[in-house]
Amino acid sequence: MIDFFTESHSAQVVNSRMGPVVEPRLRMVMESLIKHLHVFVKDIELKQEEWDSAIEFLTQCGQMCSANRQEFILLSDILGVSMLVDAINHRRPPQATENTVLGPFHVDNAPIREYGAAISLDGKGESCLFEGTVKDLFGQPIEGATLDVWSDNADGFYDVQQTGIQPTWNNRGRFVTAADGKYRFQGIKPVSYPIPDDGPVGQLLARLGRHPWRPAHMHFLLTAPGYERIVTHTFVNDDPYLTSDTVFGVKESLIQNFAPTPTESTKWKAQFDFVMHQEASE
Amino acid sequence: MIDFFTESHSAQVVNSRMGPVVEPRLRMVMESLIKHLHVFVKDIELKQEEWDSAIEFLTQCGQMCSANRQEFILLSDILGVSMLVDAINHRRPPQATENTVLGPFHVDNAPIREYGAAISLDGKGESCLFEGTVKDLFGQPIEGATLDVWSDNADGFYDVQQTGIQPTWNNRGRFVTAADGKYRFQGIKPVSYPIPDDGPVGQLLARLGRHPWRPAHMHFLLTAPGYERIVTHTFVNDDPYLTSDTVFGVKESLIQNFAPTPTESTKWKAQFDFVMHQEASE
């Protein structure tokens, strides 16, 4: 044990101070955090005034947080950390549908709707029929899978961002598959929207020469007894922000084909099949 | 350029999104930050609920900050980052007095006092005479060096923590050296005290099996025309927390000998010589 702090052994000195009785996972996480944090500071030789700015930035993020705003989640999102944590914790067989971030706009207990029902209730936007099949790894349809779906409206806002303006449960619903594994609902073609950029994270994005936009997407949360939960989006295939999602949520396999349907009552049709895999413990 | 996020190339994808016009130093700092942050998350395979806890912890730190409390500085201190930044930015010839952290309790424009004057004004504590010489690298005394000094009182609080309770400028003063480079003032033997531990940083320290105490110390801020500023403490040599300062401020060279003086009017005498070096640009 080194008693006194030295630049060369800084991380070892800090880590050596932990007591003998520390929860093992916490010890592992903190030892790694301190090691990498010190390597970072040394790599760039962080200047005193840069450290001042970092303290000020973190403070501003914390003070921006409220019941309706989580600036540290936004920070994690734009640094790719949210997607990295999601990826690490949801490794799947290659055939299974990939995960992406849940996002801040999911609401529990959306109404259960009938096969083919509408979720768009405000009359805005370009109508789109979403349909497909929920299957297992062997291509067999899954009966009793629940698809919890949500998207923004044509103005780029979720209902919970505009309570009193949008109808309750606008562009939300839950659908349960029958024996054929099929789902179908009438929504709108989602539109791209910026993450809240009027705080310190927005200022950082601007200084990094990055825009705050997310490409248009439909959220899906799939559950089925015995299968691993899937939290994902499908992305509109002609969106200009597909390759520059500010939160890095896009995976190539999640880009959904939106086909115009000039002869039908719906303007667009979006076909996507989901593949679930069984839980590891089953 | 990789368009879509993948676990294996996560940091490259994030860094590739920076725009063409970014301030070069900011680009360098952010590229390094993102690289090391992603390596850390991968090394420990951060779990979703651990990420949740980290977001919550940072939020609590931000919400604890106020005009009188800076929880992120405390966090930086207990992770050894403050001392590391200080070390990187104040590399000196080995003979020169080492730096340590400024701390949150410095106040500008303390009264200039005469050689030998008292700084302890509340009648508390064990009297101690501080004396020594300010020299250059060649052992020559420096005339006109200003020593700005401050310490806690015998109850472990700085005057600014107890306005209305302690006399104004208690245990503070500025002294200017004459041609012999000598300084002398009458203070008290400082006492150890805990950093504020009633917030999230205090809770973290507890979970890490660490105490919140700083060993007793006298603060010195030395300036002299043509010489590099020194921000440092001297530490009481018999303090039980010398080898476990919660902010890692102790350097072996800064431990000051406090000698009992049974035959004199002062209870202790503390001798310490400071060595300043010329500014690089001179």
Side-chain angles (χ1 to χ4, degrees):
Chain A
M1 177 163 162
I2 303 157
D3 287 334
F4 301 113
F5 184 92
T6 62
E7 184 182 333
S8 56
H9 292 83
S10 62
Q12 287 120 291
V13 172
V14 176
N15 278 327
S16 74
R17 293 285 172 82
M18 270 188 247
V21 185
V22 178
E23 195 267 305
R25 175 66 182 171
L26 178 66
R27 184 188 294 276
M28 178 189 167
V29 170
M30 290 304 296
E31 283 182 351
S32 178
L33 173 68
I34 287 162
K35 184 181 79 177
H36 291 294
L37 189 56
H38 284 230
V39 168
F40 159 65
V41 171
K42 289 176 184 185
D43 260 15
I44 55 158
E45 303 222 321
L46 191 69
K47 295 177 189 146
Q48 195 72 48
E49 59 270 24
E50 292 168 342
W51 177 90
D52 294 341
S53 301
I55 296 288
E56 177 60 23
F57 177 81
L58 291 169
T59 306
Q60 286 178 7
C61 286
Q63 309 238 311
M64 194 88 195
C65 291
S66 68
N68 303 311
R69 177 74 173 257
Q70 230 309 343
E71 198 75 359
F72 283 113
I73 291 185
L74 288 183
L75 180 60
S76 168
D77 290 349
I78 68 124
L79 297 180
V81 173
S82 306
M83 273 301 287
L84 180 58
V85 171
D86 187 75
I88 287 170
N89 288 283
H90 300 98
R91 296 184 186 122
R92 293 194 178 132
Q95 314 93 303
T97 302
E98 291 190 275
N99 234 56
T100 190
V101 286
L102 178 66
F105 300 121
H106 179 255
V107 179
D108 283 335
N109 300 317
I112 294 180
R113 306 191 195 272
E114 293 297 311
Y115 181 85
I119 60 166
S120 173
L121 310 176
D122 63 357
K124 292 183 175 181
E126 301 185 359
S127 62
C128 179
L129 188 69
F130 292 80
E131 58 179 18
T133 305
V134 182
K135 303 173 185 173
D136 66 16
L137 288 178
F138 310 99
Q140 297 302 307
I142 298 177
E143 180 176 4
T146 300
L147 298 91
D148 191 347
V149 309
W150 66 106
S151 79
D152 58 351
N153 78 348
D155 299 326
F157 295 102
Y158 293 84
D159 58 350
V160 290
Q161 295 176 285
Q162 294 193 314
T163 50
I165 299 173
Q166 292 190 33
T168 312
W169 302 114
N170 191 30
N171 292 303
R172 290 181 193 274
R174 284 185 293 166
F175 296 86
V176 181
T177 56
D180 61 3
K182 291 196 170 164
Y183 75 90
R184 173 184 289 180
F185 59 91
Q186 187 71 47
I188 60 161
K189 192 183 179 196
V191 301
S192 33
Y193 59 85
I195 62 166
D197 65 344
D198 57 341
V201 169
Q203 288 165 23
L204 178 62
L205 280 175
R207 289 187 64 194
L208 297 177
R210 287 173 51 184
H211 67 69
W213 289 82
R214 297 216 61 205
H217 55 276
M218 175 64 71
H219 289 268
F220 288 88
L221 193 166
L222 277 79
T223 50
Y227 292 87
E228 197 175 286
R229 187 175 96 134
I230 295 176
V231 175
T232 199
H233 320 340
T234 58
F235 291 90
V236 177
N237 56 326
D238 63 359
D239 193 280
Y241 300 113
L242 269 186
T243 57
S244 65
D245 183 356
T246 200
V247 310
F248 305 96
V250 182
K251 290 175 174 170
E252 204 158 4
S253 69
L254 299 176
I255 298 172
Q256 183 171 21
N257 184 41
F258 281 69
T261 56
T263 62
E264 296 185 43
S265 61
T266 183
K267 188 159 182 189
W268 298 90
K269 207 179 269 185
Q271 172 76 31
F272 196 90
D273 291 346
F274 292 92
V275 180
M276 303 185 80
H277 72 294
Q278 294 191 306
E279 283 175 346
S281 58
E282 295 268 310
Chain B
M1 176 163 163
I2 302 156
D3 288 334
F4 301 113
F5 185 92
T6 63
E7 184 181 333
S8 55
H9 293 83
S10 63
Q12 288 120 289
V13 172
V14 176
N15 278 327
S16 75
R17 293 284 173 83
M18 272 189 244
V21 185
V22 178
E23 197 268 303
R25 174 68 181 168
L26 179 66
R27 183 188 295 277
M28 178 188 165
V29 170
M30 290 304 296
E31 282 182 351
S32 178
L33 174 67
I34 287 162
K35 184 181 81 177
H36 290 295
L37 189 56
H38 283 230
V39 169
F40 159 65
V41 170
K42 289 176 184 184
D43 260 14
I44 56 158
E45 303 221 321
L46 192 69
K47 294 176 190 144
Q48 194 73 47
E49 59 271 22
E50 293 169 341
W51 178 88
D52 294 341
S53 301
I55 296 288
E56 176 60 22
F57 177 81
L58 291 170
T59 306
Q60 285 178 8
C61 286
Q63 310 239 311
M64 194 87 194
C65 291
S66 69
N68 304 312
R69 177 74 174 258
Q70 230 309 344
E71 198 75 359
F72 283 114
I73 292 184
L74 288 182
L75 179 61
S76 168
D77 290 349
I78 68 124
L79 297 180
V81 173
S82 306
M83 274 302 287
L84 180 57
V85 171
D86 188 74
I88 287 171
N89 288 282
H90 300 98
R91 296 184 187 123
R92 290 189 181 138
Q95 313 94 304
T97 302
E98 292 190 275
N99 233 56
T100 190
V101 285
L102 178 67
F105 301 121
H106 179 255
V107 179
D108 284 334
N109 301 316
I112 294 180
R113 305 191 196 271
E114 294 297 311
Y115 181 84
I119 61 166
S120 173
L121 310 176
D122 63 356
K124 293 183 174 179
E126 302 185 359
S127 62
C128 180
L129 188 69
F130 291 80
E131 59 179 16
T133 304
V134 183
K135 303 173 186 172
D136 66 17
L137 287 178
F138 310 99
Q140 297 303 307
I142 298 177
E143 181 176 4
T146 300
L147 297 90
D148 191 347
V149 309
W150 65 107
S151 80
D152 59 350
N153 76 351
D155 300 325
F157 295 103
Y158 293 84
D159 58 352
V160 290
Q161 295 177 286
Q162 294 192 316
T163 49
I165 299 172
Q166 292 190 34
T168 313
W169 302 114
N170 191 30
N171 292 303
R172 291 181 192 273
R174 284 185 293 165
F175 297 86
V176 181
T177 56
D180 62 2
K182 290 196 169 163
Y183 74 90
R184 174 183 287 179
F185 59 91
Q186 188 70 48
I188 60 162
K189 192 182 179 195
V191 301
S192 34
Y193 59 85
I195 62 166
D197 65 343
D198 56 342
V201 169
Q203 290 165 22
L204 178 62
L205 279 175
R207 290 188 62 195
L208 297 178
R210 287 173 52 184
H211 66 68
W213 289 81
R214 297 216 60 202
H217 55 278
M218 175 64 72
H219 290 267
F220 288 89
L221 192 166
L222 276 79
T223 50
Y227 292 88
E228 196 175 287
R229 188 175 96 135
I230 295 176
V231 176
T232 198
H233 320 339
T234 59
F235 292 90
V236 177
N237 58 325
D238 63 359
D239 194 281
Y241 301 113
L242 268 187
T243 58
S244 63
D245 182 356
T246 200
V247 311
F248 304 97
V250 182
K251 290 175 176 172
E252 203 158 6
S253 69
L254 299 176
I255 299 172
Q256 183 171 23
N257 184 40
F258 280 69
T261 57
T263 62
E264 296 185 43
S265 61
T266 184
K267 188 159 183 190
W268 299 90
K269 206 179 271 186
Q271 172 76 31
F272 197 90
D273 291 346
F274 293 92
V275 180
M276 304 185 80
H277 71 295
Q278 294 192 306
E279 283 174 346
S281 57
E282 296 269 307

